[in-house]
Amino acid sequence: MSSADVLAAVDRDCDRFLAELKDYLRIPSISTDPEYAGEVERCSDFVAERMREAGLEAEIIRGEGHPIVFGEWLGAEGRPTLLFYGHYDVQPVDPVEEWRHPPFEPTVEGTNLVARGATDDKGQSFAHLKAVGAMLGERGELPVNVKFIVEGEEECGGEAIDAYVRADAGERLACDAVVISDSSMIGPGQPSLLYGLRGLSYMELEVLGPNRDLHSGTFGGAVENPLNALGGILASLKDSDGRILIPGFYDTVRPLEAWEREEMSKLPHDDADYAADVGVEALHGEPGYTTRERTGARPTCDVHGVWGGYQAPGAKTVLPARGGAKVSMRLVPDQDPQEIAALFAAHVQAAAPAGTRVEVRTLSSAEPVLVDATGPLVEAAMAAMADVWGSVPLRVREGGSIPIVSTFADILKVPILLLGFGLADDRLHSPNEKFTISHFFDGIRSTVRLLDRVGEID
């Protein structure tokens, strides 16, 4: 089926689509910070209204956690159903002083749109909705049925949507495939189809010592300093080569298949360019693996934040009563997040010196996932991307985590089409996050072609 009519409508309405995306990005929907709860709620209203304007029946599902927005159009009787997933919440903006412009005032810089949430995931997932709206506006119907589920907790654990999908058990969410655009392409002009995502165990530990802050001259040398202890605990997690030292951590890691290593070796990559882009003189990681393998298919352990003691200007000589850190571990098949969290807690407790005690909390977790990247729906998706981008997508594994993917795979048991429109240098989770404006429009065009391609499947 030709998509020329709808693609012409997309071309005609590009300015309007970009203006609407800017309005979306102006809402500071930071899900992890309770102070922004009202803005998260406002953002869910925005998404629901845009769904209705596109021609979908939409509702806001409220319960525990932030709202979930659900929309659907089911007028293609007997045809396949695609479920589009996205998230409207965003990461915090710290350090705000490093932004070139206010993070929630979208700014065009050359070919890019700069704002928090531009690529992760407002811009990418909004492309799906604009495509459906353009097709309904131009034709009055779709070649397939569509459902949308857009959540507000992906950046803080995704507990609400996980519970909703499991409770639904594939009834309202029944579909033939899930479509997710919340990832990066290989590079400009080279799309990818993800078949693997790493999981996550995100931990917080707090080292407790004396019952109050102590004068370091009076008590130093006699009382264990919790920050000294914390430093030793964190140092015990990995060796100098980057290998994780938690006992049992690698026991269930599924080795990379020979074909996977061969495919990864063919992906365009240059270590020198990679290092230059992030501003480091050398790369570091687990011996025996390439950078592509380390970042997409091997587990990690990283410290994300450390606190405790005196941090204001000048000097204050105290032994702090407590100190803490946030640590995450990216996981690969067949590592279980709960088992890894337990191993982490046991290691941390064993590493704590006498005179201290450690409290360990799990902040969030996600299962690693491998999806089937074969079959008619997958082929239709790859053809649709090739129609727009000029290249057939390469099958790759991604280092990040999208917590709901494993739940969709477990409950819905349908293909999951992970088709990203972003780029690796989009600075997601960092200051000056960006999204290439042409990728937003090509994401809309790709979704139009996807709808028509799937509609052609017998």
Side-chain angles (χ1 to χ4, degrees), residues 152-357:
E153 289 188 353
E154 198 275 345
E155 302 291 9
C156 64
E159 294 180 3
I161 193 169
D162 183 83
Y164 180 80
V165 173
R166 293 186 184 280
D168 179 77
E171 294 186 10
R172 191 179 195 186
L173 299 180
C175 61
D176 295 282
V178 180
V179 182
I180 301 175
S181 297
D182 189 15
S183 55
S184 300
M185 299 168 57
I186 296 294
Q190 180 54 69
S192 58
L193 175 72
L194 299 187
Y195 70 92
L197 290 164
R198 289 192 291 193
L200 179 72
S201 284
Y202 198 123
M203 314 298 294
E204 182 177 76
L205 65 147
E206 189 168 19
V207 182
L208 308 173
N211 58 13
R212 63 189 185 279
D213 287 358
L214 302 176
H215 188 291
S216 65
T218 303
F219 294 94
V223 177
E224 179 63 70
N225 182 330
L227 286 185
N228 291 351
L230 176 64
I233 292 170
L234 296 178
S236 75
L237 295 173
K238 299 168 72 173
D239 66 19
S240 60
D241 287 328
R243 185 169 176 82
I244 299 163
L245 300 176
I246 299 170
F249 183 86
Y250 291 101
D251 286 358
T252 58
V253 170
R254 187 188 306 180
L256 279 166
E257 300 282 352
W259 71 265
E260 292 183 288
R261 302 196 78 168
E262 182 179 356
E263 288 294 312
M264 288 185 187
S265 71
K266 297 176 182 177
L267 298 176
H269 176 83
D270 183 274
D271 273 357
D273 290 344
Y274 187 93
D277 177 61
V278 298
V280 297
E281 294 182 357
L283 300 180
H284 176 75
E286 187 181 5
Y289 297 93
T290 67
T291 299
R292 280 281 187 190
E293 291 168 346
R294 292 170 185 160
T295 57
R298 292 296 294 171
T300 67
C301 179
D302 288 292
V303 179
H304 300 299
V306 178
W307 72 91
Y310 181 68
Q311 299 184 29
K316 182 180 181 183
T317 52
V318 296
L319 303 180
R322 61 185 63 209
K326 297 180 187 291
V327 179
S328 82
M329 291 157 287
R330 299 282 178 176
L331 310 179
V332 299
D334 296 295
Q335 289 181 297
D336 177 82
Q338 285 70 43
E339 291 179 4
I340 294 299
L343 293 175
F344 175 87
H347 174 81
V348 165
Q349 296 289 357
T356 65
R357 59 186 178 89

Side-chain angles (χ1 to χ4, degrees), residues 22-33:
K22 289 179 179 179
D23 288 340
Y24 193 9
L25 293 170
R26 289 188 179 102
I27 305 174
S29 48
I30 303 173
S31 58
T32 196
D33 188 339

